[in-house]
Amino acid sequence: MDRLLLELPTLEDLELVKKKVFMRIDINCPIDYETGKILDDRRIRVHSAYIKSIVEKYEPALVLGSHQGRPGEREFVSLEEHAELLSKYTGISIRFVDDVIGPAARQAIKDLKPGEVLLLDNLRFVSEEVIEADPEIQSNTILVKKLSNLFDYYVNDAFATAHRSQPSIVGFPLVLPSAIGPLFEKEVKAVSKIYTSGDGPRVFVLGGSKIHDLIRVIENLVRNKLAERILTTGVLAQLFLLAKGVKIGDENIRILEEKNALTLIPRARQLLLKGAPIETPVDVKTLVGEKEVDNTSVTNIRGVIKDIGDTTIEVYSEFIKEASLVVMRGPAGVIEDERFREGTLRLLDAVSKTRAFVIIAGGHLGSMVDDSRIDSSRIHVSTGGNALLLMLSGEELPAIKAMLLSKSIFHGGKK
Ligand code: 3PG
């Protein structure tokens, strides 16, 4: 992993001063369905610090691009509010254009002067951006062709999207001298802890909604022998309970069905049959009817599962205590509801008391961590959820592959 860091081109390999630069960032944020407003701007705050220092150091004409949500989702919105928040946190007046590859965007890019920053609208407004394909194909997309000739360099600081083989991630590196950005670099450094964390068990506490990615992560972790214990929570736990033959109840099965997760049962069963070190809850908190909250054994589930139960919290906390590395992804329950935050809060408390190196893998959890309670040399709060997990589990991420290809084409970057 350290070798990889040496191989990846970084900003130092480019001559950025006063050049026109396209930087892919990931400011995809949770959105309030009712108001369409950003619910948690942590990614914007993190990126802002890096954008500010790039502008101060190199004075480039800096164009930023990000996606937000996916077509068909309620989180699929414009980046106008993101631009306002970027301006607020960087102290730079960030321009915004409600266009991606059309004449308005291209003119705004051409007009941009050194030291100025422009944010394009949601890159996924261009339909090509949601298609996954090899770098070669993506470098020939309309999106890449329309934009690339306007820039001197491409920088990828969107670590959280590094697992997607989409045009703005893997297409540009083949046609422009490129480098990873400073946030990307920091994230890759944290990943190396999987190999250097010490002798104790490496414990993964996995939950959250992107369940298809999570199964892939677990398969990798098991194949590459990178986890001594995998503690499941949320819908992932329900999937494994079902795969074990536990009767989780029709309402909970329906929730899995809505996430298209029942198709994953054979893969979950395979993992269990192979003896993968996967733990499932022994009890859960459920909502029965409208109001009744029940803490019940998994052998006797009533109502909709909303959190892990008290005994499970204790058992999981004991596993966490022993660890030399703890990786945590996703809340353990429905944290938006006060009644079901306890599982997540108590696991975070257990994590803060260990001697382990702690990696918090993005998402809502990142905002719940009071990192001041953990010595900063011992915690990495990542902006990347599943990208980080896939890399930790031994996968070569498309963004990294494309960056290495770029290096071989442009010989380290100088234009
Ligand atoms: C994320 O939040 O995981 C990244 O922004 C990637 O988003 P995606 O899963 O919609 O590609």
Side-chain angles (χ1 to χ4, degrees), residues 118-135:
L118 167 75
L119 176 67
L120 302 178
D121 212 339
N122 188 345
L123 296 176
R124 289 185 182 168
F125 286 174
V126 176
S127 56
E128 284 174 326
E129 181 63 10
V130 287
I131 297 169
E132 304 250 347
D134 287 342

Side-chain angles (χ1 to χ4, degrees), residues 226-244:
L226 289 169
E228 279 66 48
R229 245 187 241 278
I230 299 167
L231 315 179
T232 60
T233 66
V235 278
L236 183 69
Q238 292 172 44
L239 175 74
F240 277 102
L241 285 170
L242 205 56
K244 279 181 172 178

Side-chain angles (χ1 to χ4, degrees), residues 26 28 43 67 69-70 124 160-161 163-164 210:
D26 185 344
N28 179 29
R43 279 187 177 165
H67 71 283
R70 301 172 185 178
R124 289 185 182 168
T161 326
H163 57 316
R164 304 281 176 233
K210 292 184 182 170

